[in-house]
Amino acid sequence: YQPILRFDGQIESVEALMALDYPHDTWVLDEGDSEDVRALCRRLGAHHFSRKGRPQYQTERGPFQARSKHGNYNAWLEETGFGRYDIVTGFDPDHVPDSDYLSQVLGYFEDPAVAYVQVAQAYCNQHASFVARGAAEETYDYYSSMAMIAYGGGYAILIGAHNTQRVSALKQVGGYPAHDAEDLLLALRYRNLGWRGVYVPKILARGLTPADWQTYLQQQRRWARSVLDVRWRVYPGLSANLSLRARMGSFLEGLNYLRISFIIPTGLALLAFMLASGTAPSVVSFATLPRFAVLMGAMQLCTLYRQRFYLDWRREWGGHWRAGVLRLAKWPYVLLALWDVMAGRQ
């Protein structure tokens, strides 16, 4: 977990945080307690924190788990954040914010019921490779119409890459949960205690998406495992105080990981059966082609309509066939993630 990232040989992340237009403190949470990072903070005027060498913040598991994102955040919150600040905005080290990021989100906390404010996630390297472009295309629907629908339905998303939270609410829910899907679990805890979230459909920061197959597929398996684990193991105990609409929306959100991963092997099994038996179901015939074409045309029109709500429409509109290829490639990894959850594997 590196505290900084180099873009084109220049350190941008910390510099961008220092340049945010609203008065604030900038902290770098440095797992390795690197002298280079300390020197960077001194040069730019940022605060430096490390839990290295503090055994109370280096546990095997739990809120201060060693070598974990949630453990790093919770150590800083316990030492400094809970007692010193009202609002905290966190960034993964590969995300660089616009200068007006804070000015665009802080006003929503005038409502005392708001625990967190989330803006869209976007990428700056999506043209680096086929995989990067496809991975970015997969997110366009989610961070536009789907995220807005979720907010309208009362279950605003929370994304770990960057978000802004009320410190008193964060303390009430026990800090960052000890889980790979800490953002998803944190949002559930907020809703269970009556806190609200706000989704702002704007691109105010950009980060990196995986640019090679190995990184992408490993990421997708990890994400799917953590999301499914929350939905099936943790969610039932945290949904009692939610409305029926919020419960259904939150539950179905996680099942999206499984939809394509069940459809593709089912289709392959059907194809193998037809080839082996020499027979085909009656629905597979030339007579169904016109109806299928009408259905596909209607679905494409719906897709084009949803694209009107894309946050960077001029760059994001299109057929997104690369995302389709990535979905075809990753379905075995999502099923492996399901097996991880069922077998209790981390």
Side-chain angles (χ1 to χ4, degrees), residues 51 56-59 61-66 68 70-71 74-75 78:
R51 58 175 174 158
Q56 70 273 32
Y57 298 135
Q58 298 283 348
T59 58
R61 57 179 57 89
F64 302 117
Q65 181 179 346
S68 71
H70 64 266
N74 286 333
E78 189 70 20

Side-chain angles (χ1 to χ4, degrees), residues 188 230-231 233-239 242 246-248 250-251:
L188 288 172
V230 168
R231 293 304 182 195
R233 185 176 61 85
V234 183
Y235 181 76
L238 290 177
S239 61
L242 301 180
R247 287 202 302 269
M248 290 298 297
S250 295
F251 181 74

Side-chain angles (χ1 to χ4, degrees), residues 223-237:
W223 282 2
R225 191 211 67 80
S226 59
V227 168
L228 294 173
D229 182 68
V230 168
R231 293 304 182 195
W232 292 350
R233 185 176 61 85
V234 183
Y235 181 76

Side-chain angles (χ1 to χ4, degrees), residues 3-5 7 10-22 24-28 40 43-44 46 89 91-102 204-206:
I4 56 176
L5 184 74
F7 288 92
Q10 296 182 349
I11 299 169
E12 274 195 45
S13 297
V14 181
E15 291 177 338
L17 294 177
M18 294 297 299
L20 293 172
D21 62 358
Y22 193 91
H24 67 285
D25 292 340
T26 297
W27 286 84
V28 177
L40 171 70
R43 177 169 64 84
L44 297 179
T89 298
F91 289 88
D92 278 359
D94 63 320
H95 283 261
V96 178
D98 294 343
S99 61
D100 62 341
Y101 188 104
L102 293 179
L204 300 175
R206 290 187 182 270

